[in-house]
Amino acid sequence: MIVKRGLRSVLYALRTDARYASTRFTFVPEVAPDEYGPTTKLNLFQSINSAMDVALSTDKTAIIFGEDVAFGGVFRATINLQEKYGKDRVFNTPLCEQGIAGFGIGVAAAGSTAIAEIQFADYIFPAFDQLVNEAAKYRYRSGDQFDSGSLTVRSPYGAVGHGALYHSQSPEAYFAHTAGLKVVIPRGPIQAKGLLLSCIRDKNPCVFFEPKILYRSAVENVPSGDYTVPLGKADILRKGTDVTVVGYGTQIHVLKEVADMAQEKLGVSCEVIDLQTILPWDAQAVCESVVKTGRLLVSHEAPLTNGFASEIASYVQKECFLNLEAPIERVCGWDTPFPHSMEAFYLPDKWRCLDAVKRLSKY
Amino acid sequence: MRTSLRLIPSFYRGIQNVTNTCAVERCMRDAPVARLTHSRLFAHKVQEKEIPLEDKKLDDLIQKAEASPPPAIEPIDIDKPRFPGSRSEWTEKLEFLMPEAYPGIPVYRVMDRKGLIRDAAQEPKLDEPTLVKMYQKMTLLNYMDRILYESQRQGRISFYMTHFGEEGILIGSAAGLDDKDLAYVQYREAGVLMWRGFTLDQFMNQCYGNEEDLGKGKQMPVHYGSKELAFVTVSSPLATQMPQAVGSAYAYKRAQNGQIVICYFGDGAASEGDAHAAFNFSATLDCPIIFFCRNNGYAISTPTSQQFRGDGIASRGPGYGIPTIRVDGNDTLAIYNVTKAARDISLQQNRPVLIEAMTYRIGHHSTSDDSSAYRSVDEVKHWDKEDNPIARFRRYITQKGYWNDEKETQWKDQAKKQVMQAFQRAEHKKKPSPEELFNDVYDELPWHLQKQRKEMMDFVRSNPEHYPLKEHAKMGAA
């Protein structure tokens, strides 16, 4: 099993994601705000690498560890960091996720900064107990005597075109049900670096999911210096008046395209919101938008039942009842494991989302 | 793939030098074996699907595959196994390693059951005040256990776990450490805290969950913690503290603060996956940590015969590459010696040490357990009367002339009084204000918790008759 997984990991780094990505969504690079300073052209794994470079250079206690991170990681996110910062700061662990998470909590409890990698979000479940029962509750149960706030767990996440059951999962809702954790998912290189640096420096344990299909396919001019993007804040990417469209991660690029198509084909104006932080999420931004538009579509790759869209939908229904003009739509993965050959039919693609926008506007 | 990383060094070096190119593209280029296999797969497909030969891409693949030279055969000069995964010699004997063929790891002791030193060279040179302090802390823990156990029986606290029979392990090991060494524990280790100066009031406040509890009334009784005394707060999930302790030890090593980490756990907890994770991580990452196993024969009702088939926990240590020792847990001097020596190894060599202390859980597992349902009263009596760490230690210090019956009577009265007074003080303190339940989930209260806190407080204010408000400190404004 170990060999198989190792093989798969490496094979996944091989495949050109763009080939698959192009059929699903188009990544349109964004422009970083001027105040973040000069930029370099980086893809997502390089911007993650840059964030960790900044984190290690500004915090002498910070260490990076996980499976195969020493040689640069199976997705190249930790490349050159061991050479630059030494073997005691960037190192491989034995192949054991519960150990990685537990070890990271201990590093954090002793006051150092721990940046742990779980090779695929699909393999975070052996660490579930450590993250949910331990990391999340450390501060609470000790009366703030001890905490694991300087722990960040980063993990490749989401559909990749051919990842099947165990290289495609989106487990954010499991963690969003856990008081004490912060759960963060970026949509592109600029956001990724700023959000990851915020996670690393936040005084609470953070789970940071990196949409792996964007590792190579998403390229932007990323600020080279040290900057952060605030946690708990949604980003309104496109102003609109008719339908509020909420998502995060890769799905944002699908939704941006849906907004274009809705305008073009239906004459419907969509307001696109990237949640960025799943827990605690920016309900204010979403509700303000729904009060204006009266209609809401939430979309994520994860399965529908008890996915995070359920939380958003029920909250908005309570807070914006008098403003809602149509039932809230959730366009999500089906309630099945993530399939291999049938991925195209599983994903909440732009056509399914557009259909939901149509339903919302015609209701 | 993992294996081939090690088998083919040039291939591995290739990966290390990669900057922007994909690792596996590089692997494929540098590793003829891998490429060949891959191409054969394609070739097979060609045959199966009968794709016309004019498909140039496939043609190229086949040609490339055929052009790849087979792996070179190197001359073998030394006939020694060269597998990267072990350091073995060859053998031509088909022989399984039978665990039964080896005697159990011996149990180290300093004094016998009568408190007599067996080998004078092994007697730790502890002075009178230290020995008396050790005895007093062991007995104070014992008195506190008796009172709190009874108070649970009367419904005054919700839950309790005693340390009967394991007092020597706790005080002996705590005395062998530096007080600033970070302690991670399971739950039956209050003696370590007691040794370091946690007050009776602090113990009682935690068990009552009153507003002076350092843990702010959040956890069940006996889940103690003290930042000041380097004692990480107890949590109920078993063995989770083990890999955490390793992480802290790693951070301590980097900080070069002269301290180590000690991690206590029971023989049952050692079956958890986290125990395996911790042992292995500590060894491969060279961490200054002592793993201290309390093997008391039972995990609730499960005897060790249903917990493991190997030679206890100690026999696992060498498998992980961890220096290991087994010790008589009812011999406080032996516990002191091994802990002190383990600390030296750990600190000086930056490596883990495993101590397995053999003992017997004299008390019930907890106040929710009646152990007579699964073990005989006679068995328990034997350990309580014939091989009790407190009795043995008392014989030792009496023989040294440091203790006598008169001192015993005096101390007993004093200790009981102290425990009773702290108990009554804790019982009369208010529980925390209800809104405390929202604090410390995060470093700051996020919007949704602010909203829920207000909702709770508004509701309780409008419906006070349904809530035990009198027992709690007053709610603030919100």
Side-chain angles (χ1 to χ4, degrees):
Chain A
M1 190 194 157
I2 291 169
V3 175
K4 260 191 194 163
R5 219 166 93 187
L7 175 69
R8 280 219 163 161
S9 315
V10 180
L11 281 178
Y12 278 101
L14 163 73
R15 300 276 189 107
T16 12
D17 301 324
R19 185 155 51 116
Y20 295 87
S22 60
T23 58
R24 258 182 67 203
F25 62 88
T26 312
F27 180 83
V28 181
E30 292 177 38
V31 179
D34 284 342
E35 66 260 31
Y36 290 171
T39 62
T40 327
K41 206 169 183 184
L42 300 179
N43 64 25
L44 183 69
F45 84 67
Q46 290 165 328
S47 88
I48 298 284
N49 180 275
S50 170
M52 289 192 279
D53 193 352
V54 171
L56 263 62
S57 68
T58 53
D59 175 359
K60 299 292 170 222
T61 73
I63 57 172
I64 295 172
F65 51 90
E67 294 158 14
D68 305 300
V69 300
F71 87 111
V74 297
F75 286 109
R76 314 277 74 200
T78 50
I79 192 131
N80 294 331
L81 294 178
Q82 191 183 63
E83 288 82 343
K84 195 164 170 186
Y85 295 100
K87 288 180 176 170
D88 71 318
R89 298 192 65 190
V90 181
F91 53 90
N92 289 339
T93 64
L95 205 165
C96 179
E97 287 77 13
Q98 64 194 99
I100 293 170
F103 181 86
I105 293 168
V107 170
S112 294
T113 300
I115 307 169
E117 179 181 303
I118 300 293
Q119 205 161 68
F120 286 85
D122 311 63
Y123 303 129
I124 205 166
F125 300 112
F128 201 66
D129 183 42
Q130 284 285 354
L131 294 173
V132 171
N133 273 332
E134 296 291 318
K137 299 171 173 60
Y138 231 76
R139 188 192 302 276
Y140 190 75
R141 72 185 188 205
S142 70
D144 201 23
Q145 293 191 87
F146 295 93
D147 68 78
S148 60
S150 53
L151 168 68
T152 301
V153 177
R154 32 172 301 276
S155 188
Y157 156 100
V160 72
H162 48 270
L165 286 79
Y166 307 113
H167 298 83
S168 308
Q169 290 183 55
S170 300
E172 68 276 7
Y174 292 104
F175 296 99
H177 196 55
T178 304
L181 291 181
K182 291 194 177 180
V183 182
V184 180
I185 307 175
R187 67 174 180 274
I190 299 168
Q191 302 305 116
K193 181 173 174 183
L195 286 168
L196 180 54
L197 276 167
S198 287
C199 282
I200 292 168
R201 291 163 181 171
D202 191 83
K203 296 192 185 328
N204 302 285
C206 295
V207 180
F208 188 80
F209 289 124
E210 300 162 4
K212 59 185 166 295
I213 199 164
L214 303 177
Y215 272 140
R216 288 163 191 283
S217 64
V219 181
E220 284 175 337
N221 288 316
V222 178
S224 323
D226 187 348
Y227 68 99
T228 54
V229 172
L231 303 184
K233 283 260 173 264
D235 209 353
I236 300 169
L237 296 176
R238 195 164 304 189
K239 288 279 178 192
T241 51
D242 301 329
V243 177
T244 300
V245 172
V246 175
Y248 44 84
T250 315
Q251 196 62 10
I252 284 300
H253 306 296
V254 175
L255 295 176
K256 275 159 77 177
E257 219 172 318
V258 168
D260 290 341
M261 289 159 71
Q263 190 68 62
E264 199 182 304
K265 293 179 195 287
L266 313 170
V268 169
S269 157
C270 291
E271 180 144 311
V272 181
I273 301 181
D274 179 5
L275 220 47
Q276 299 194 114
T277 301
I278 312 304
L279 184 73
W281 65 292
D282 190 349
Q284 194 186 341
V286 175
C287 288
E288 274 172 12
S289 175
V290 174
V291 164
K292 186 174 67 177
T293 62
R295 294 173 176 85
L296 175 64
L297 161 66
V298 191
S299 181
H300 54 59
E301 289 179 8
L304 176 78
T305 301
N306 285 326
F308 196 67
S310 313
E311 174 58 31
I312 298 174
S314 62
Y315 187 88
V316 170
Q317 186 266 149
K318 172 100 194 290
E319 296 297 314
C320 310
F321 187 70
L322 294 176
N323 307 93
L324 284 170
E325 304 284 350
I328 296 165
E329 287 282 350
R330 291 178 290 152
V331 180
C332 305
W334 305 118
D335 287 342
T336 68
F338 198 108
H340 186 232
S341 313
M342 291 73 76
E343 176 168 322
F345 303 94
Y346 172 90
L347 283 172
D349 62 12
K350 58 190 174 195
W351 304 110
R352 277 176 60 200
C353 291
L354 183 67
D355 193 49
V357 171
K358 201 190 280 178
R359 281 197 300 278
L360 280 164
S361 54
K362 295 266 166 67
Y363 187 81
Chain B
M1 212 60 169
R2 248 165 223 282
T3 326
S4 35
L5 280 176
R6 289 184 184 143
L7 278 175
I8 310 165
S10 65
F11 162 27
Y12 188 37
R13 278 199 300 277
I15 293 176
Q16 281 183 318
N17 294 333
V18 174
T19 46
N20 280 330
T21 7
C22 157
V24 173
E25 281 168 30
R26 220 19 214 255
C27 304
M28 291 308 197
R29 212 163 57 219
D30 294 352
V33 185
R35 194 165 68 199
L36 192 65
T37 322
H38 202 65
S39 310
R40 271 186 189 149
L41 280 173
F42 274 92
H44 176 68
K45 277 192 179 171
V46 172
Q47 239 182 2
E48 197 177 76
K49 291 193 173 176
E50 290 179 10
I51 289 172
L53 281 175
E54 57 264 28
D55 188 328
K56 281 209 168 161
K57 279 186 183 171
L58 275 177
D59 229 18
D60 279 357
L61 276 174
I62 296 164
Q63 270 181 10
K64 271 187 195 167
E66 283 168 354
S68 305
I73 299 169
E74 287 174 35
I76 298 162
D77 40 3
I78 310 159
D79 188 24
K80 260 190 91 168
R82 292 172 70 182
F83 308 113
S86 80
R87 46 182 167 88
S88 314
E89 297 293 324
W90 297 116
T91 177
E92 279 74 36
K93 261 194 240 165
L94 197 165
E95 206 170 38
F96 289 94
L97 212 60
M98 302 306 284
E100 301 81 4
Y102 300 87
I105 295 169
V107 184
Y108 169 77
R109 67 171 175 176
V110 171
M111 55 179 164
D112 61 21
R113 288 174 192 151
K114 291 176 181 156
L116 297 170
I117 302 293
R118 303 288 299 189
D119 174 355
Q122 293 299 316
E123 184 181 5
K125 304 285 175 276
L126 292 169
D127 56 19
E128 183 178 346
T130 308
L131 287 169
V132 169
K133 183 184 166 190
M134 287 170 78
Y135 181 70
Q136 289 182 332
K137 293 284 182 182
M138 282 160 72
T139 44
L140 187 63
L141 176 63
N142 191 268
Y143 294 141
M144 183 177 84
D145 275 351
R146 286 169 200 276
I147 300 293
L148 287 177
Y149 181 81
E150 287 310 320
S151 81
Q152 194 282 335
R153 299 280 97 170
Q154 296 174 8
R156 300 167 104 155
I157 59 173
S158 62
F159 178 78
Y160 196 69
M161 300 176 105
T162 63
H163 304 78
F164 301 143
E166 300 181 43
E167 296 91 345
I169 285 179
L170 304 175
I171 301 302
S173 60
L177 296 169
D178 184 294
D179 279 356
K180 290 195 183 70
D181 290 338
L182 189 62
Y184 277 86
V185 310
Q186 183 163 305
Y187 47 64
R188 212 182 294 283
E189 291 94 351
V192 177
L193 257 184
M194 193 167 261
W195 176 260
R196 291 184 179 187
F198 208 62
T199 64
L200 288 168
D201 286 299
Q202 288 175 313
F203 283 116
M204 307 283 178
N205 290 341
Q206 199 283 329
C207 289
Y208 272 101
N210 65 34
E211 60 180 338
E212 282 178 35
D213 168 23
L214 291 174
K216 302 179 187 170
K218 304 274 172 62
Q219 290 210 81
M220 281 173 79
V222 313
H223 291 53
Y224 309 113
S226 169
K227 180 90 173 174
E228 199 192 335
L229 302 177
F231 188 95
V232 180
T233 303
V234 173
S235 75
S236 308
L238 286 183
T240 47
Q241 82 279 14
M242 298 180 70
Q244 294 171 14
V246 177
S248 291
Y250 190 87
Y252 273 27
K253 178 176 77 168
R254 285 201 69 233
Q256 295 186 314
N257 62 6
Q259 305 299 141
I260 62 140
V261 176
I262 185 158
C263 177
Y264 295 85
F265 56 99
D267 52 274
S271 296
E272 292 280 2
D274 275 332
H276 161 65
F279 293 145
N280 202 24
F281 276 54
S282 70
T284 58
L285 299 172
D286 306 315
C287 299
I289 181 171
I290 299 174
F291 291 110
F292 198 114
C293 179
R294 298 177 291 98
N295 186 341
N296 63 17
Y298 288 91
I300 306 188
S301 74
T302 307
T304 51
S305 60
Q306 291 161 31
Q307 200 65 247
F308 49 75
R309 273 301 144 85
D311 177 27
I313 310 304
S315 67
R316 298 175 198 173
Y320 289 100
I322 300 177
T324 299
I325 194 164
R326 175 173 283 158
V327 56
D328 180 351
N330 300 332
D331 178 350
T332 311
L333 297 180
I335 294 285
Y336 171 85
N337 275 355
V338 297
T339 311
K340 207 167 160 37
R343 186 178 193 276
D344 289 344
I345 295 173
S346 192
L347 190 61
Q348 284 157 18
Q349 301 178 29
N350 274 327
R351 66 189 301 194
V353 181
L354 172 61
I355 300 170
E356 182 183 28
M358 309 308 292
T359 184
Y360 186 85
R361 195 195 76 212
I362 291 174
H364 300 298
H365 164 69
S366 73
T367 47
S368 312
D369 170 52
D370 172 11
S371 67
S372 66
Y374 50 82
R375 61 181 188 180
S376 77
V377 178
D378 284 350
E379 178 184 313
V380 178
K381 261 190 192 154
H382 163 79
W383 290 96
D384 196 19
K385 303 292 169 217
E386 307 294 322
D387 197 358
N388 185 298
I390 295 179
R392 201 194 294 194
F393 198 78
R394 186 176 157 191
R395 287 189 193 109
Y396 171 70
I397 55 171
T398 304
Q399 283 154 19
K400 303 270 304 175
Y402 299 159
W403 200 254
N404 54 38
D405 289 350
E406 194 188 335
K407 284 183 180 173
E408 178 74 15
T409 317
Q410 253 182 12
W411 167 242
K412 229 180 206 171
D413 290 348
Q414 197 190 330
K416 279 183 182 166
K417 207 167 145 191
Q418 281 177 18
V419 172
M420 282 312 297
Q421 282 174 350
F423 177 77
Q424 282 171 342
R425 280 195 294 269
E427 196 168 36
H428 288 106
K429 282 171 197 158
K430 292 255 187 199
K431 299 208 181 326
S433 168
E435 78 260 30
E436 177 57 43
L437 88 89
F438 291 99
N439 292 342
D440 301 329
V441 178
Y442 296 91
D443 62 330
E444 289 168 349
L445 216 59
W447 68 270
H448 66 293
L449 289 185
Q450 287 179 29
K451 199 168 138 89
Q452 290 171 26
R453 181 176 67 174
K454 186 175 182 315
E455 198 178 310
M456 184 276 281
M457 290 168 76
D458 287 349
F459 188 78
V460 168
R461 283 212 171 90
S462 321
N463 300 272
E465 70 278 17
H466 301 310
Y467 298 95
L469 284 168
K470 278 182 191 158
E471 293 172 21
H472 290 264
K474 279 212 170 90
M475 286 196 290

